[in-house]
Amino acid sequence: MKKIIYLLFISVLFYNCSDNCNEGKNTNPPSFFVKLINNTTSENIFTNDFLPEHIAITYENEDEDETNFNYVENLQAIQIFPDISLNSPQTFVITLNNPDTLEERTITISYSLTTTNGECYTTYNVSNVQCTSHAFTFVNGFYEIKI
């Protein structure tokens, strides 16, 4: 009988001391969206000028080859995932290279990452996004850059 009460006590103790951090409740990686707009036609450049395969994004002062990004076709936008292991602020270069027309464009973007430390994890947010090479605006969650 003592063993049953002891096991019951231990079970209740461990049940009440469970961790509030659930594995499935992790934060998403930091990211932001960029739309590239033709300066003369005001159309998205992926409509006529470039294809998603023509995109390369590299950090300006790092040995890293490329940063992670996705081209989101239905939005005609690039979703960029900054590397949280690099010191902030950082600068990267978007290079568009169309081998058929031999047209090449470069866009330089700098950003900072801010952190919020929670009980279970750290949340990273992209802030202070600047395009030093072209005019840009922030519209409905997208950085629209005129090139």
Side-chain angles (χ1 to χ4, degrees), residues 6-25:
Y6 179 72
L7 287 174
L8 184 62
F9 175 73
I10 297 296
S11 299
V12 170
L13 181 66
F14 281 116
Y15 179 76
N16 289 335
C17 293
S18 67
D19 190 1
N20 289 333
C21 299
N22 295 333
E23 243 182 75
K25 292 187 177 181

Side-chain angles (χ1 to χ4, degrees), residues 46 50-56 69-73 77-78 95-96:
F46 294 108
F50 292 94
L51 298 173
E53 316 60 85
H54 299 152
I55 305 169
F69 69 91
N70 288 329
Y71 176 74
V72 184
E73 190 168 346
I78 304 168
T95 303
L96 302 168

Side-chain angles (χ1 to χ4, degrees), residues 61-120:
N61 297 321
E62 298 291 331
D63 293 334
E64 300 284 323
D65 290 332
E66 288 191 355
T67 186
N68 291 328
F69 69 91
N70 288 329
Y71 176 74
V72 184
E73 190 168 346
N74 63 328
L75 300 174
Q76 289 187 314
I78 304 168
Q79 183 179 17
I80 301 171
F81 299 92
D83 188 343
I84 61 173
S85 68
L86 299 175
N87 291 332
S88 188
Q90 281 294 323
T91 300
F92 59 82
V93 177
I94 300 173
T95 303
L96 302 168
N97 189 357
N98 185 335
D100 297 330
T101 63
L102 302 178
E103 184 177 4
E104 183 173 298
R105 305 268 182 103
T106 58
I107 302 103
T108 304
I109 298 175
S110 63
Y111 68 92
S112 295
L113 286 178
T114 58
T115 58
T116 305
N117 294 320
E119 180 181 349
C120 302

Side-chain angles (χ1 to χ4, degrees), residues 19-38:
D19 190 1
N20 289 333
C21 299
N22 295 333
E23 243 182 75
K25 292 187 177 181
N26 293 334
T27 61
N28 292 327
S31 71
F32 62 98
F33 290 89
V34 172
K35 286 187 175 185
L36 303 174
I37 308 299
N38 185 310

